[in-house]
Amino acid sequence: MTSSTPTLDRTARPGDIYAGGAALMYDDLARQDSSEIDVLIQILRHAGATTVLDLGCGSGRITLPLLAALPVTFIAVDTSAPLLALLADRLLPEEADRCRVVHADATLHRESRVVDAAVMGTSTISLFDRDARTRLFATTRANLTPGGIFVLTNFCWTPGHLADSPVVQRGASGAHYALEEVWVSDERRRVTVRSLTSGRQAESEPWNLRHEQLVVELTAAGFTVPAALALHEGPDGRNTLIIAEVPR
């Protein structure tokens, strides 16, 4: 099932990693990343969720393996039309009946019926500024049933930490990409990705968010936060999975 809603796309400046042809580079790299998948399957299975919102789903890095592992219905929401097209093309016939693809702004998108769970992986939350997060958390809470859960992950980089530059990574297609990063402020990094095959270059500027800050914001939106699990902790920073719940 697919649905197209004419809403604002991601801020599409020249070279935006999620827009146009550059989205293919993001997809190629994202398909190599299986982090979070197993723990998300466990959490959703334990919660008994049957309907799940995948917010910022992209090309389905989380959607597709969760659809394959769980007997659930997904609503996959993103503002990147190129990435959503890739997701729709990859759905198996039996999966397409359980996945509605929605081109919409996750901070504004309201479902006609409440759902059991929402997920936001891959540190997607770092793409939203404070005002957008406020809208996102309020909208997500409204979309969830009482007792419903919102599971999100966030990588908080050690301030000032920079990887050896550039880092070369191999995509799912076999193509190689050079990744370079620079701190543009105390709270924000610029990550530039360059294809070593085509020379195409794209970038994103994620916010560096502390998980404690997100817990405060989620609580202010009316969630309780029963758990925050460290998925990774090292000199580069900490990757945290946060489970927020709508009170019954």
Side-chain angles (χ1 to χ4, degrees):
M1 297 182 288
T2 62
S3 174
S4 180
T5 303
T7 58
L8 291 176
D9 203 342
R10 296 182 192 268
T11 303
R13 60 189 181 278
D16 185 348
I17 188 68
Y18 306 108
L24 297 176
M25 295 198 300
Y26 169 80
D27 170 68
D28 201 23
L29 288 167
R31 288 169 64 193
Q32 296 291 83
D33 182 7
S34 62
S35 61
E36 312 156 289
I37 302 300
D38 289 343
V39 67
L40 285 173
I41 290 171
Q42 294 174 24
I43 290 170
L44 294 175
R45 183 175 287 145
H46 178 75
T50 60
T51 51
V52 180
L53 270 171
D54 186 358
L55 301 172
C57 63
S59 55
R61 185 186 78 85
I62 286 176
T63 317
L64 294 171
L66 266 59
L67 269 173
L70 298 168
V72 299
T73 297
F74 268 81
I75 303 101
V77 180
D78 205 289
T79 56
S80 173
L83 292 176
L84 288 175
L86 291 172
L87 168 57
D89 287 344
R90 289 170 182 160
L91 290 169
L92 299 174
E94 59 271 22
E95 294 172 341
D97 291 336
R98 294 189 290 117
C99 184
R100 177 158 49 92
V101 177
V102 181
H103 182 211
D105 182 342
T107 71
L108 302 173
H109 175 69
R110 289 289 300 273
E111 283 292 305
S112 59
R113 297 182 180 180
V114 292
V115 301
D116 300 323
V119 296
M120 177 173 273
T122 331
S123 287
T124 301
I125 191 62
S126 67
L127 300 176
F128 295 82
D129 64 18
R130 179 63 183 268
D131 288 344
R133 294 196 303 274
T134 298
R135 296 194 303 272
L136 173 71
F137 295 159
T139 301
T140 303
R141 187 186 187 284
N143 277 324
L144 288 168
T145 189
I149 59 171
F150 179 26
V151 187
L152 65 155
T153 59
N154 175 64
F155 199 110
C156 181
W157 293 88
T158 301
H161 179 274
L162 291 173
D164 294 336
S165 187
V167 174
V168 176
Q169 292 187 11
R170 184 177 185 271
S173 69
H176 289 83
Y177 303 88
L179 281 69
E180 299 183 73
E181 56 185 38
V182 61
W183 287 85
V184 296
S185 73
D186 291 341
E187 299 179 326
R188 205 167 193 184
R189 298 160 51 251
R190 178 182 298 123
V191 181
T192 302
V193 181
R194 178 169 53 87
S195 168
L196 298 183
T197 303
S198 69
R200 181 189 290 273
Q201 185 167 296
E203 65 181 36
S204 68
E205 291 190 4
W207 297 91
N208 197 43
L209 305 171
R210 295 180 298 106
H211 85 270
E212 295 90 349
Q213 176 183 351
L214 293 173
V215 169
V216 169
E217 293 175 10
L218 286 161
T219 302
F223 288 95
T224 61
V225 184
L229 314 174
L231 302 179
H232 163 84
E233 195 159 8
D236 53 345
R238 180 180 183 182
N239 190 21
T240 304
L241 181 143
I242 299 170
I243 303 175
E245 184 175 349
V246 177
R248 295 181 184 276

